[in-house]
């Protein structure tokens, strides 16, 4: 199968989302799915006027409608889209009613369980120092409406990855245009990597097509989300994050590539959790200390910050396609060290500047 074939799902998703987004904005406003800075108390709010949320709806429509024409219909596809639809519904309701963050997290776990229960797991990872590390050696088989097998380690790692990616990417939508650009680049890189795998694996077609569907929908949404944003992704966009996390583990368990291309938001999310725990707060606590917030304090515009995230993601994604497994491991370690050091430096510097202004 040639690469131009994947232009079709990309274009279907792109045009579906780019056309439905402006059509849905008036309806979203009418039904009150908006972010009003006067009513929505959140330390990271940047906008000063009412902006419609629920951008997860046109994002999901782009992927779903494109998927009807380009994805195989089987148990795996059904489970993936069912879980994404549940995430969309709960997330969109949160866009209006501000549902408990702990309940939302529970829904994330439930959605991930649906996907893993359909057989999407991580049976192996490539050993950076040679060979393969098999993760499916611990298993439990039981009979309940047929024989079912749970691969304890494989399924647990897949579950943790999906839930982590859903939350980590949600934190990366702090400035206009930031999230859809990063998601689009990540999906394109994973899609290109999927093309390297044997088409004898049925998951390859699903992984490659779904990757380009996600990329197309994200770029279609970016038209209206780039600063100044006409619509926000909202929490309903977790449906797209779930889909992206799934394609990262289909057809070859491409976790190292996914971690690298999403390296900056990944590292920012990791250090956010650590910082909040060390300060005695819940990892779910809201604050305005993410990397993009620190860059705003330094005087960079929202557009510049978004472009910075795109540039770094594109560079890391390109590099990941050329590196060996060992090279990816060292690149990830280096990225964590540099990003973590930069975050600590910015945090301490800006904190000192606020305490001792000139």
């Amino acid at each position: 199968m040639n690469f131009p074939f994947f232009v079709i799902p990309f274009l279907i998703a792109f045009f579906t989302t780019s056309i439905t987004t402006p059509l849905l904005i008036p309806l979203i406003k009418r039904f009150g799915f908006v972010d009003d800075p006067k009513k929505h108390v959140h330390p990271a709010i940047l906008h000063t006027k009412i902006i419609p949320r629920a951008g997860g709806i046109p994002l999901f429509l782009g992927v779903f409608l494109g998927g009807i024409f380009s994805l195989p219909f089987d148990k795996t596809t059904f489970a993936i889209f069912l879980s994404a639809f549940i995430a969309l519904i709960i997330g969109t309701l949160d866009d209006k009613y501000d549902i408990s963050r702990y309940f939302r997290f529970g829904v994330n776990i439930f959605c991930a369980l649906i996907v893993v229960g359909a057989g999407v797991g991580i049976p192996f990872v490539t050993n950076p120092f040679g060979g393969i590390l098999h993760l499916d050696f611990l298993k439990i088989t039981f009979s309940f409406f047929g024989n079912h097998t749970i691969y304890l380690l494989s399924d647990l790692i897949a579950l943790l990855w999906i839930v982590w990616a859903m939350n980590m990417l949600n934190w990366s939508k702090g400035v206009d245009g930031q999230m859809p650009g990063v998601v689009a680049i990540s999906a394109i890189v994973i899609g290109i990597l999927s093309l390297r795998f044997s088409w004898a694996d049925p998951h390859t077609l699903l992984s490659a097509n779904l990757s380009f569907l996600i990329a197309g929908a994200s770029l279609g949404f970016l038209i209206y989300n780039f600063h100044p944003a006409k619509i926000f992704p909202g929490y309903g966009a977790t449906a797209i994050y779930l889909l992206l996390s799934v394609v990262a583990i289909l057809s070859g368990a491409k976790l190292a590539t996914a971690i690298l291309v999403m390296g900056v938001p990944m590292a920012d999310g990791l250090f956010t959790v650590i910082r909040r725990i060390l300060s005695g707060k819940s990892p779910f606590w809201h604050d305005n200390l993410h990397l993009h917030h620190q860059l705003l304090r330094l005087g960079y515009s929202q557009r510049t910050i978004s472009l910075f995230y795109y540039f770094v993601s594109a560079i890391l994604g390109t590099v990941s396609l050329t590196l060996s497994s060992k090279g990816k491991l060292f690149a990830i370690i280096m990225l964590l060290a540099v990003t973590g050091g930069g975050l600590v430096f910015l945090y301490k510097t800006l904190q000192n500047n606020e305490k001792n202004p000139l």
Side-chain angles (χ1 to χ4, degrees), residues 25-354:
I25 286 177
L27 289 174
I28 291 170
K29 288 181 177 179
R30 182 183 303 175
F31 289 101
F33 292 88
V34 298
D35 197 331
D36 186 346
K38 295 181 180 179
K39 298 178 180 179
H40 184 201
V41 180
H42 194 294
I45 285 180
L46 300 174
H47 56 286
T48 56
K49 62 179 182 179
I50 298 175
I51 304 291
R53 301 175 81 184
I57 297 175
L59 277 165
F60 180 81
L61 284 176
V63 178
F64 179 72
L65 292 180
I68 291 176
F69 298 100
S70 60
L71 296 181
F73 183 78
D74 55 23
K75 178 185 72 172
T76 302
T77 308
F78 177 77
I80 291 172
F81 277 95
L82 173 63
S83 61
F85 183 69
I86 294 172
L88 173 70
I89 294 299
I90 300 301
T92 303
L93 289 174
D94 178 75
D95 290 338
K96 181 174 182 178
Y97 299 107
D98 287 327
I99 297 171
S100 165
R101 66 197 72 165
Y102 299 103
F103 177 77
R104 292 183 331 209
F105 186 69
V107 172
N108 290 346
I109 295 175
F110 176 71
C111 292
L113 283 172
I114 293 176
V115 175
V116 172
V120 178
I122 304 175
F124 67 91
V125 293
T126 303
N127 187 342
F129 304 102
I132 299 293
L133 295 176
H134 292 277
L135 305 175
D136 55 357
F137 57 91
L138 292 175
K139 60 183 180 180
I140 298 175
T141 302
F142 59 94
S143 298
F144 184 74
F145 294 108
N147 290 327
H148 298 274
T149 301
I150 297 176
Y151 298 94
L152 298 178
L153 188 58
S154 170
D155 291 347
L156 177 61
I157 294 177
L159 177 69
L160 292 175
W161 163 253
I162 294 171
V163 173
W164 165 248
M166 291 173 73
N167 286 273
M168 173 270 298
L169 288 170
N170 180 61
W171 290 333
S172 71
K173 65 181 194 308
V175 298
D176 294 351
Q178 178 184 358
M179 179 281 293
V182 171
V183 168
I185 293 169
S186 301
I188 289 171
V189 170
I190 293 172
I192 292 173
L193 185 61
S194 296
L195 299 178
R196 296 179 177 181
F197 288 81
S198 170
W199 292 102
D201 184 353
H203 282 167
T204 298
L205 178 63
L206 175 58
S207 176
N209 269 327
L210 187 52
S211 295
F212 289 105
L213 285 168
I214 294 169
S218 298
L219 290 177
F221 183 75
L222 180 60
I223 298 171
Y224 307 96
N225 183 239
F226 198 67
H227 187 75
K230 299 178 177 64
I231 184 172
F232 290 155
Y235 199 79
T238 50
I240 300 301
Y241 313 151
L242 182 149
L243 294 174
L244 183 62
S245 69
V246 170
V247 297
I249 60 178
L250 286 172
S251 183
K254 300 173 284 293
L255 285 189
T257 297
I259 290 171
L260 201 53
V261 71
M262 293 185 275
V264 174
M266 186 82 63
D268 183 38
L270 177 62
F271 284 95
T272 293
V273 171
I274 294 172
R275 171 174 49 76
R276 290 174 179 174
I277 292 175
L278 290 178
S279 62
K281 297 178 180 177
S282 166
F284 301 100
W285 186 265
H286 296 308
D287 60 34
N288 58 355
L289 298 175
H290 288 286
L291 175 59
H292 46 265
H293 297 129
Q294 309 285 18
L295 294 175
L296 282 169
R297 288 188 177 89
L298 289 177
Y300 293 101
S301 68
Q302 293 196 51
R303 289 189 176 192
T304 300
I305 294 171
S306 291
L307 292 173
F308 164 74
Y309 271 81
Y310 304 163
F311 177 76
V312 175
S313 295
I315 292 297
L316 291 173
T318 302
V319 168
S320 71
L321 294 174
T322 62
L323 290 177
S324 64
S325 296
K326 184 183 293 186
K328 289 177 184 179
L329 174 62
F330 287 126
I332 291 170
I333 293 173
M334 183 65 68
L335 178 66
L336 288 173
V338 171
T339 306
L343 283 167
V344 172
F345 174 78
L346 286 175
Y347 177 70
K348 294 295 183 182
T349 301
L350 293 171
Q351 200 174 44
N352 289 334
N353 290 343
E354 290 175 359

